[in-house]
Amino acid sequence: MSWYRNTVWFVKGLREYTRGGYESASKQFNPADVDVDVAGRSFLITGANSGIGKATAKEIARRGGTVHLVCRNKERAEVAKEEIVTETGNQNIFLHIVDISNPKEIWKFAEKFQKEHKLNVLINNAGCMVNNRELTEDGLEKNFATNTLGTYIMTTALVPLLEKAADARVITVSSGGMLVQKLNISDLQSGSGPFDGTMVYAQNKRQQVVLTEQWAKAHRNIHFSVMHPGWADTPAVRSSMPDFYERMKNSLRTEDQGADTVLWLAVSAEATKLPSGLFFQDRQPVPTHLPLAYTHSPPEDEEKLMEVLEEFSQKFKSVSPG
C-alpha cells in the first residue's frame, strides 16, 4: 500500500501544501488571533537561526515576547539574533548553542536553563534529513537522534519548568510526509534494509505525532500540538531535497507562510480552546492518517515508543556532565 499512500499524499500536497493552498486557507484566518502582545512571556525555539524557526522567532519578538534561540551553529545563530533584534527592536533575545543530535548536551542545557529562566512556550523546530545513514558520536542514527530523541529529551527535560507556567504550550514542527508512514518501533535507528533518508525523516515525523498525543494525555496542564508547515522554501528543503526543490520551487510557500501556524499555536488564545494533542495545518486540526492508508498503530506500539525513548533519555542523563 506504500504506492497508494505516496500518491495520495503527493496529490494532497499539490492541492494543500503549496503556496496556493496557503493563500486559499488564509482567507478564513482571523488576523486578530495573532495580533497580540506577549510581553512577559518566554518562548524557546530550537533550530531558530534559519527557515521556519527564525521566521517564528522574529514574529514572536515583534509581539514583545522574550525569545530563546537554541541553535547548533554559533556563527549563523549570532547573525540571526542580530537580524531579529535589529528588525524588531526587541532586546530580549537570548542565544543558546546546543546540538539537538547530542542528548548529553540537551540534558546539560535543560538543567541549566531551568535554574536561570522561566518558560511559557517550547517550540520544537530543529530537525534534519540526512540522506545517508550517519551515526553521531554516541552511535545514534543522526535523523533519529535529532528529530525524535532530541525532541523527546528537550521536551521531557523542560516539562517541570513548563508545569510552573501560566498557559504553557509545546508545539512541534512535523511534516505531512508522516502520512505515508506507519509507526515502526522495530527499527528506530534504520539499521536494517536499504536506507532512504526521506522515508526515515517521514517515520521520525510520525513518531513526533505519537509523542505529542502521548504527552497530551500525561501532562494536562500543558497544551501540546504538532503541525505541518506545508511545503516551504527553506534552506533545509533546498539542501536536503534538491530534486524536489527544483521541481516545486515556483509553488513553495514562503518561510513566513510556513511559520504562520506555529505562530498561531504559540500566541493565540484560539489555539488552546482546541483539545491538546492535535495535528494542525493552516490553523486547523487535520487527520493524522490518510483514508484507507492502514497507518494506524496499536496502543501498545505507541506506549513502547515512549518506553524506549525514556530508556535512551535516562541513559544519557546519567552520564550528563555537570
Side-chain angles (χ1 to χ4, degrees), residues 266-277:
V267 306
S268 78
E270 294 303 306
T272 52
K273 292 177 182 176
L274 293 161
S276 183

Side-chain angles (χ1 to χ4, degrees), residues 285-305:
V286 292
T288 56
H289 300 276
L290 293 168
L292 308 176
Y294 302 103
T295 50
H296 295 268
S297 301
E300 55 266 30
D301 280 7
E302 298 180 357
E303 290 162 10
K304 181 66 174 176
L305 174 68

Side-chain angles (χ1 to χ4, degrees), residues 73-229:
N73 184 293
K74 188 172 188 291
E75 198 172 290
R76 289 202 293 265
E78 286 174 344
V79 171
K81 176 187 172 182
E82 186 176 340
E83 181 184 324
I84 293 166
V85 170
T86 301
E87 288 193 24
T88 68
N90 188 336
Q91 300 293 322
N92 293 317
I93 312 298
F94 301 93
L95 187 56
H96 311 271
I97 305 304
V98 185
D99 183 349
I100 301 296
S101 74
N102 186 322
K104 293 187 288 293
E105 268 191 39
I106 301 171
W107 271 119
K108 183 180 179 183
F109 160 75
E111 287 163 2
K112 185 171 187 285
F113 188 89
Q114 289 189 76
K115 294 172 186 171
E116 298 175 356
H117 304 282
K118 71 167 193 171
L119 183 62
N120 298 93
V121 181
L122 167 63
I123 299 172
N124 290 309
N125 167 72
C128 69
M129 184 192 295
V130 179
N131 288 312
N132 297 300
R133 192 171 190 273
E134 290 181 23
L135 300 183
T136 68
E137 64 183 41
D138 297 302
L140 301 168
E141 191 277 315
K142 194 160 190 178
N143 293 291
F144 167 78
T146 306
N147 302 327
T148 302
L149 185 60
T151 297
Y152 178 87
I153 295 177
M154 181 65 78
T155 304
T156 53
L158 292 175
V159 156
L161 189 58
L162 287 160
E163 292 274 13
K164 299 174 185 174
D167 188 15
R169 311 182 189 192
V170 175
I171 299 122
T172 299
V173 179
S174 182
S175 166
M178 66 90 194
L179 291 167
V180 305
Q181 285 285 308
K182 179 179 179 178
L183 179 66
N184 176 12
I185 57 167
S186 66
D187 188 23
L188 289 177
Q189 300 202 59
S190 311
S192 60
F195 187 90
D196 181 335
T198 305
M199 288 300 104
V200 170
Y201 178 82
Q203 173 66 208
N204 296 160
K205 296 300 174 176
R206 169 63 70 188
Q207 291 160 1
Q208 290 179 343
V209 170
V210 173
L211 290 180
T212 299
E213 293 169 346
Q214 295 296 313
W215 285 327
K217 293 175 190 174
H219 306 288
R220 302 289 185 177
N221 296 330
I222 302 171
H223 190 271
F224 290 87
S225 54
V226 58
M227 59 78 67
H228 174 39

Side-chain angles (χ1 to χ4, degrees), residues 131 236-248:
N131 288 312
V237 168
R238 292 195 289 271
S239 63
S240 299
M241 304 174 71
D243 294 342
F244 173 82
Y245 173 75
E246 281 302 317
R247 191 163 70 248
M248 299 297 299

